[in-house]
Amino acid sequence: MTTLPLLSLLIWTPIIGAALVLFGAGERNNGSTAKWLALVTALVTLALCVPLYTGFDTTTAAMQFGEQSPWFTISGLNINYSLGVDGFSMPLILLTSFTTVIVVIAGWEVIENRVSQYMAAFLVMTGLMNGVFAALDAMLFYVFWEAMLVPMFLIIGIWGGPNRVYATIKFFLYTFFGSVFMLIALIYMAIQAKSFAILDLHQLPMSLSVQHWIFAAFLIAFAVKVPMFPVHTWLPDAHVEAPTGGSVVLAAIMLKMGTYGFVRFNLPIAPDASLAWADVMIALSLIAVVYIGLVALVQKDMKKLVAYSSIAHMGFVTLGFFIAFALLKSGNAMQATLGVQGALVQMISHGFISGAMFLCIGVLYDRVHSRQIGDYGGVANTMPKFAALMMLFTMANAGLPGTSGFVGEFMVILAAFSANFWYAILAATTLILGAAYSLWMYKRVVFGEVNNSHVAELEDINKREQLMLVILAIAVLALGLYPKMLTDLMEPTVQNLLHHIMQSKAGA
Amino acid sequence: MQDISFAPLAAELFVLGMTCLVMLVDLFAPGPQRRNSFWLSQIALFGALLITINLAPAPSALLYGGHFMLDSLGTVLKVGLYIVTAISLLYARAYIAERQFMRGEYYLLSLFAMLGAMVLITAHSLLTIYLGLELMSLSLYAMVAMQRDSKQAPEAAMKYFVMGALASGFLLFGMSLLYGVTGHIGISELASAPTEQGQLVMYRFALVFIIAGIAFKLGAVPFHMWIPDIYHGAPTSVTAFLGSAPKIAAFAMIMRLLTEALPSLHEDWMAMLAALAIASMAIGNIGAIAQSNLKRLLAYSAIAHMGYFLIGISSGTSEGYAASMFYILVYALMTLGGFGMILFLSRAGFESDNLSDLKGLWQRSPWYALLMMLVMMSMAGIPPFIGFWPKLQVFMAAVHAGQTWLALTGAVFSLIGCYYYLKVVKVMFFDQADDKSPITASTALRVAISANGLAMLVLGLFPGTILAYCLKAFAG
């Protein structure tokens, strides 16, 4: 295979690109040099994903594209710069690199002041997020995980809306709060396992009571990030205040880091505790799906509505993971696979759909400077192309078959049926609730009479906006029509995970 | 009678000689410029650095009747001390020139304070420890008082002097009790002195006083009251020095007095230090939230940092000591960066030490706002900045020693601490500037502050070297 350090390139290309944008291009030519440089960097990063995808061996669950070099030693434990991807992380790296290109295009004309710094912040984020997904060393993972808060903090705080300071500090402290417990758990386990390598931690035998503590520590960290009910309150605030690009990254990728944490840490490291906690987790997930779905229904602000719908959709992901435990207990491995895979598909699909929804809202906001649903009406009359594209994303958000939104939810609901009839019924309400809030919002914004002069003066989306929305539309449809291209990537890794978690570690 | 070689003392003697030279040159220097003093001081530091590295011992040697210890712990700490002092003088140069300080005396006192710290670091008997401590403290008292036309500085100096004298008194009382029990003043003799059951009470009594003295000097709760007032009242360049170099020396003092002299009492002092650590983290972090003055904020943050620092020592393992050493060196560098930035923003007649003075710094001088952010994030312990790694190691040492609860407490308090560091970043980045003119300063200062700020990131990416030295200092 290739001898290039592909994963390192995926991490460092955007970061070095960011430095070039910031110090090389600066604000010259009103930032247009910076924009082009940022776009080139984002495209190069995306291009680097091509060999990653084509060279990925879909027959094995082993870590691929591995890189390892010693970083330094702390208390006799080696911290390594070790990278590698499996079927869980590889698709997320693709998603991250893909989203960056969209974000750069989305910010092209919208961001007027300090363009170079805006672009640089997003490129740094990209590198760090790729690092989170590629890290195989727990401490390296933690470094990337935490470092990523800093650019996001600045993005919301500098380019955000009127209430940005409150939102950004809340965002930072909530996520930092979670991470602190993760750090102590990591230290504890590393000392037990005498290694910081995540794969070594997977093998570490632990008694059930220790597992409970470890599980709880990780749960706090990841539940905040996902976000799960009841620690979700930072997300609507952060979304509402963030600039469009920030919302896209937040919804499309950062939330996935939380659920990624579950499959990378909670499930394999504390399988017995995961089993014990499964009912609680399923309950919380169902609350997210039903209750937050209802909350979304009453929102007057479009961004808030989509933010709450994100929480509901992420509830499906956690539901999928923990349904698997209930199924494994009854020996139903087939359906367990379905649940986990559905959750993973949902992760990727939600990345596309929520990103697209926030971009659509951004398009409207740039023209009218309002996100209130009540300020719109009859947009279809003045912006037909936009209305058509947004319809697709709204439908996908509601889980229309043929779009990616359907696939993940369907798989999870199917798995839920084999576990417990009531789980499935409750989960399936999302099809009603999702359709209700998505379509109702769409109806109020896009259809009907042109109800004010602002809407009457709207111009349809330009080439740039068309480009980014069409790319996303293709992604949503492609994944919806042919999910096999994603599930095949994950198959061996999912099997390996299920095989791993079926064995109790507590007795050892 | 064997010949006494002065070679192991070369660094101390060199600094002493150079200090005298600075004094003479300053006496005869014409006019108000006296820039030679600055360069001579820097040469003194650089020379001392070379000598110390050349003398680096393997194995350690106990010299001069057991009063002087040449070991790798001392070497690493001294190197840290030189670097910190050199940076602080560099920051101070423009500041004291603008404020009509007595320049020659400023350098002189800095060097004397550092000499005291050097003696303290290598001291291996109660007598030399006390000598070093007092030389350092007396010079610092004078430095705090140097800005004579300021209202706050003399008051701060007075408070500092009274508090410092009280602390010295405590320490001396504890030391005299130790001498009374054992009849020894050498650290090695104290360590090997037999403890009889009946004397244990006396030992503990001495220990309480010694720890109180040390806690005073460090500024650990409940002996922290003076820190905010003195950090605030002292001229900023003095605060920068006061906040960094003496902490390094204080670390050496703890090591000598507790771990080397009283290993048999380790259960007692471990518990005391753990209590001090928790109290310091709590009071420091919570107190800092309410501050609107940046110097006071950094003062409370210093109290909090002493808490994390003490976690490492209270673990009672060499891993923990190395962690604390790493912590104190990194802390000195971070605190210099923080106060250096205040110095950098200040102009003659205007102390830029309110949080609101930082408003919109990002619009005025984006580069320096970024640097200040690096310092703040590093203090908050966010990776990949350097401040994260010593925290990690301190927590690891605690977990290793079976004190997971202590690590967890520290972690929770670092979350609270995060809030006020973020507040500083918020003021710089998200608020509108009243005055949009860019900051001007001399090239040397700009380079220094940039190097100090960037070090937070660069050292954070490659923390291995410092850490390796710290571990080596306790290896053998």
Side-chain angles (χ1 to χ4, degrees):
Chain A
M1 281 318 304
T2 172
T3 51
L4 273 174
L6 208 48
L7 294 172
S8 279
L9 283 173
L10 277 163
I11 294 169
W12 296 105
T13 308
I15 293 179
I16 293 167
L20 287 177
V21 168
L22 204 56
F23 299 109
E27 298 296 312
R28 234 171 291 148
N29 315 324
N30 289 325
S32 94
T33 323
K35 283 182 212 166
W36 282 106
L37 199 55
L39 183 63
V40 168
T41 310
L43 287 173
V44 169
T45 311
L46 187 60
L48 286 169
C49 290
V50 174
L52 188 73
Y53 182 78
T54 55
F56 190 81
D57 183 355
T58 57
T59 58
T60 169
M63 290 291 170
Q64 305 181 34
F65 299 99
E67 286 172 41
Q68 180 153 359
S69 52
W71 192 6
F72 66 99
T73 305
I74 193 162
S75 300
L77 297 177
N78 292 320
I79 297 184
N80 292 308
Y81 176 81
S82 61
L83 306 173
V85 287
D86 61 3
F88 296 149
S89 43
M90 203 277 280
L92 289 166
I93 290 181
L94 298 187
L95 178 69
T96 309
S97 307
F98 171 79
T99 307
T100 308
V101 177
I102 303 283
V103 165
V104 170
I105 300 176
W108 202 262
E109 285 155 16
V110 179
I111 300 298
E112 283 158 353
N113 51 8
R114 304 190 174 269
V115 183
S116 64
Q117 290 159 8
Y118 179 85
M119 296 295 177
F122 276 103
L123 290 175
V124 169
M125 289 268 288
T126 308
L128 296 175
M129 290 184 296
N130 278 342
V132 167
F133 296 128
L136 284 188
D137 184 284
M139 221 16 86
L140 189 67
F141 173 86
Y142 187 81
V143 167
F144 281 125
W145 173 277
E146 287 290 278
M148 202 208 46
L149 294 179
V150 179
M152 198 64 198
F153 178 73
L154 294 178
I155 287 170
I156 301 177
I158 295 173
W159 291 278
N163 204 9
R164 61 188 192 276
V165 173
Y166 168 77
T168 196
I169 289 185
K170 188 171 176 184
F171 155 76
F172 196 108
L173 289 181
Y174 264 64
T175 39
F176 191 67
F177 170 77
S179 321
V180 155
F181 294 97
M182 173 164 78
L183 178 65
I184 299 295
L186 287 178
I187 292 174
Y188 179 82
M189 288 193 301
I191 286 175
Q192 302 296 317
K194 304 208 176 357
S195 160
F196 272 111
I198 293 176
L199 294 181
D200 289 347
L201 301 183
H202 285 187
Q203 306 301 333
L204 181 69
M206 278 183 294
S207 72
L208 188 59
S209 62
V210 173
Q211 280 191 39
H212 274 299
W213 284 107
I214 298 285
F215 185 91
F218 279 119
L219 175 63
I220 295 171
F222 300 136
V224 168
K225 203 77 152 199
V226 169
M228 294 180 73
F229 178 85
V231 284
H232 63 283
T233 61
W234 63 270
L235 185 79
D237 286 322
H239 268 309
V240 167
E241 299 304 326
T244 304
S247 293
V248 172
V249 170
L250 206 56
I253 307 162
M254 280 186 55
L255 306 190
K256 309 303 173 302
M257 289 168 50
T259 46
Y260 173 74
F262 278 115
V263 282
R264 183 62 83 223
F265 291 95
N266 281 52
L267 306 189
I269 287 177
D272 304 304
S274 301
L275 179 61
W277 284 68
D279 288 337
V280 178
M281 298 299 291
I282 291 171
L284 288 177
S285 307
L286 289 172
I287 291 174
V289 170
V290 179
Y291 166 71
I292 302 292
L294 288 169
V295 172
L297 205 51
V298 298
Q299 297 304 316
K300 295 191 172 67
D301 181 310
M302 286 191 279
K303 253 189 165 177
K304 264 203 170 142
L305 190 147
V306 180
Y308 279 112
S309 99
S310 285
I311 302 171
H313 284 117
M314 292 308 284
F316 255 88
V317 181
T318 45
L319 183 66
F321 290 152
F322 287 93
I323 283 282
F325 277 98
L327 290 167
L328 275 180
K329 198 161 52 173
S330 53
N332 199 340
M334 263 291 281
Q335 297 294 323
T337 314
L338 194 65
V340 174
Q341 266 185 344
L344 294 167
V345 172
Q346 174 79 350
M347 277 163 75
I348 302 292
S349 143
H350 178 256
F352 294 142
I353 298 171
S354 66
M357 288 304 285
F358 282 116
L359 285 173
C360 288
I361 297 168
V363 164
L364 289 175
Y365 182 79
D366 294 338
R367 288 165 170 73
V368 182
H369 294 285
S370 165
R371 287 183 303 255
Q372 298 302 313
I373 296 173
D375 289 346
Y376 294 89
V379 169
N381 296 308
T382 45
M383 300 175 73
K385 286 182 202 158
F386 171 77
L389 281 165
M390 188 173 169
M391 169 124 82
L392 173 70
F393 298 128
T394 311
M395 293 298 192
N397 203 30
L400 182 78
T403 64
S404 62
F406 173 73
V407 183
E409 291 183 10
F410 180 70
M411 288 164 85
V412 173
I413 293 174
L414 215 56
F417 255 116
S418 338
N420 183 320
F421 176 72
W422 289 106
Y423 292 169
I425 291 292
L426 282 171
T429 55
T430 192
L431 294 172
I432 304 162
L433 285 172
Y437 57 71
S438 303
L439 296 181
W440 194 34
M441 176 184 84
Y442 185 75
K443 181 227 142 198
R444 284 181 290 169
V445 170
V446 175
F447 291 145
E449 294 297 308
V450 174
N451 70 347
N452 63 44
S453 59
H454 285 303
V455 175
E457 288 161 11
L458 283 177
E459 284 174 24
D460 208 346
I461 47 176
N462 58 28
K463 288 259 156 46
R464 174 185 65 88
E465 289 160 335
Q466 267 180 42
L467 177 70
M468 63 189 191
L469 291 179
V470 167
I471 295 174
L472 278 167
I474 293 170
V476 167
L477 287 173
L479 193 56
L481 295 172
Y482 192 63
K484 201 165 146 44
M485 63 181 176
L486 186 59
T487 50
D488 279 358
L489 286 180
M490 297 167 170
E491 181 74 32
T493 318
V494 173
Q495 294 301 347
N496 181 45
L497 175 75
L498 292 177
H499 181 72
H500 182 90
I501 60 184
M502 264 195 290
Q503 292 154 351
S504 167
K505 293 166 103 186
Chain B
M1 186 83 191
Q2 64 191 81
D3 285 340
I4 292 179
S5 158
F6 284 100
L9 272 177
E12 280 81 1
L13 291 176
F14 181 74
V15 171
L16 181 63
M18 286 301 285
T19 313
C20 296
L21 188 65
V22 171
M23 182 152 50
L24 279 176
V25 168
D26 191 62
L27 198 59
F28 294 106
Q33 278 300 322
R34 295 187 190 169
R35 67 170 56 145
N36 293 334
S37 308
F38 173 74
W39 290 112
L40 279 175
S41 313
Q42 295 289 21
I43 290 170
L45 294 170
F46 189 66
L49 178 72
L50 292 182
I51 294 171
T52 305
I53 291 173
N54 266 323
L55 273 179
S60 51
L62 195 57
L63 301 157
Y64 310 119
H67 289 291
F68 184 93
M69 179 73 155
L70 199 64
D71 57 359
S72 47
L73 169 71
T75 308
V76 178
L77 287 179
K78 276 190 203 168
V79 169
L81 192 65
Y82 302 141
I83 295 171
V84 165
T85 312
I87 300 176
S88 88
L89 289 183
L90 194 61
Y91 287 159
R93 193 180 172 201
Y95 183 87
I96 58 177
E98 276 167 6
R99 281 165 187 73
Q100 311 289 324
F101 275 47
M102 297 167 293
R103 256 150 286 165
E105 284 83 340
Y106 189 91
Y107 298 121
L108 201 65
L109 288 170
S110 299
L111 288 179
F112 269 128
M114 195 192 74
L115 184 62
M118 288 166 73
V119 172
L120 187 51
I121 287 170
T122 36
H124 218 252
S125 78
L126 298 182
L127 182 68
T128 28
I129 287 177
Y130 193 69
L131 275 178
L133 180 67
E134 284 306 284
L135 177 56
M136 181 177 85
S137 304
L138 282 172
S139 315
L140 289 173
Y141 301 149
M143 282 176 82
V144 173
M146 278 190 85
Q147 195 175 16
R148 284 172 303 180
D149 53 356
S150 145
K151 274 185 204 143
Q152 296 156 331
E155 188 189 327
M158 202 63 208
K159 272 185 202 162
Y160 191 26
F161 179 68
V162 173
M163 293 292 187
L166 189 65
S168 297
F170 273 136
L171 195 64
L172 207 53
F173 185 56
M175 286 176 172
S176 66
L177 286 174
L178 267 190
Y179 175 69
V181 183
T182 60
H184 294 295
I185 57 165
I187 300 291
S188 334
E189 287 95 354
L190 283 172
S192 54
T195 12
E196 288 159 30
Q197 203 53 43
Q199 293 173 331
L200 210 57
V201 179
M202 214 56 173
Y203 261 121
R204 287 194 178 137
F205 207 57
L207 184 67
V208 169
F209 276 96
I210 285 178
I211 286 192
I214 292 172
F216 245 120
K217 291 288 173 194
L218 272 180
V221 175
F223 308 106
H224 66 289
M225 269 66 154
W226 58 277
I227 292 257
D229 287 347
I230 281 136
Y231 273 36
H232 184 205
T236 312
S237 65
V238 177
T239 313
F241 183 62
L242 188 67
S244 51
K247 307 268 187 211
I248 297 178
F251 170 72
M253 187 164 76
I254 298 180
M255 283 293 111
R256 304 296 188 208
L257 281 176
L258 298 185
T259 68
E260 291 178 16
L262 301 169
S264 54
L265 290 176
H266 76 274
E267 275 179 11
D268 295 86
W269 56 254
M270 270 164 63
M272 285 191 220
L273 290 186
L276 289 179
I278 291 174
S280 301
M281 290 186 297
I283 303 281
N285 279 320
I286 293 166
I289 291 176
Q291 303 305 317
S292 61
N293 182 292
L294 193 54
K295 277 165 89 176
R296 292 189 86 87
L297 187 145
L298 288 176
Y300 275 101
S301 107
I303 298 171
H305 279 290
M306 286 312 115
Y308 304 117
F309 158 75
L310 287 174
I311 291 181
I313 299 182
S314 76
S315 71
T317 56
S318 63
E319 179 196 349
Y321 306 150
S324 284
M325 184 168 174
F326 187 27
Y327 202 105
I328 210 74
L329 291 173
V330 167
Y331 172 72
L333 202 60
M334 293 193 297
T335 205
L336 265 182
F339 286 111
M341 195 57 77
I342 302 178
L343 286 172
F344 178 73
L345 298 174
S346 302
R347 293 184 303 278
F350 173 67
E351 293 290 322
S352 189
D353 61 357
N354 274 316
L355 261 183
S356 58
D357 296 331
L358 285 176
K359 259 191 192 165
L361 182 64
W362 188 61
Q363 292 161 326
R364 299 175 66 189
S365 302
W367 173 243
Y368 299 104
L370 188 73
L371 292 176
M372 185 67 167
M373 185 184 86
L374 297 186
V375 174
M376 288 297 130
M377 291 294 168
S378 181
M379 283 202 180
I382 313 275
F385 308 110
I386 180 70
F388 169 67
W389 297 112
K391 269 207 181 85
L392 172 70
Q393 215 207 345
V394 164
F395 293 160
M396 279 187 71
V399 173
H400 233 153
Q403 295 172 313
T404 310
W405 58 275
L406 195 54
L408 204 57
T409 317
V412 170
F413 279 119
S414 75
L415 170 72
I416 298 173
C418 196
Y419 174 75
Y420 56 86
Y421 296 120
L422 282 183
K423 207 167 73 171
V424 178
V425 178
K426 172 230 153 199
V427 170
M428 288 192 300
F429 280 80
F430 310 157
D431 287 358
Q432 288 295 317
D434 303 329
D435 161 23
K436 299 229 162 120
S437 59
I439 313 274
T440 51
S442 71
T443 319
L445 194 54
R446 277 185 296 184
V447 171
I449 204 102
S450 304
N452 196 335
L454 280 182
M456 301 294 133
L457 182 60
V458 175
L459 291 177
L461 293 176
F462 306 99
T465 329
I466 312 182
L467 187 55
Y469 278 119
C470 294
L471 287 168
K472 222 173 79 185
F474 289 97

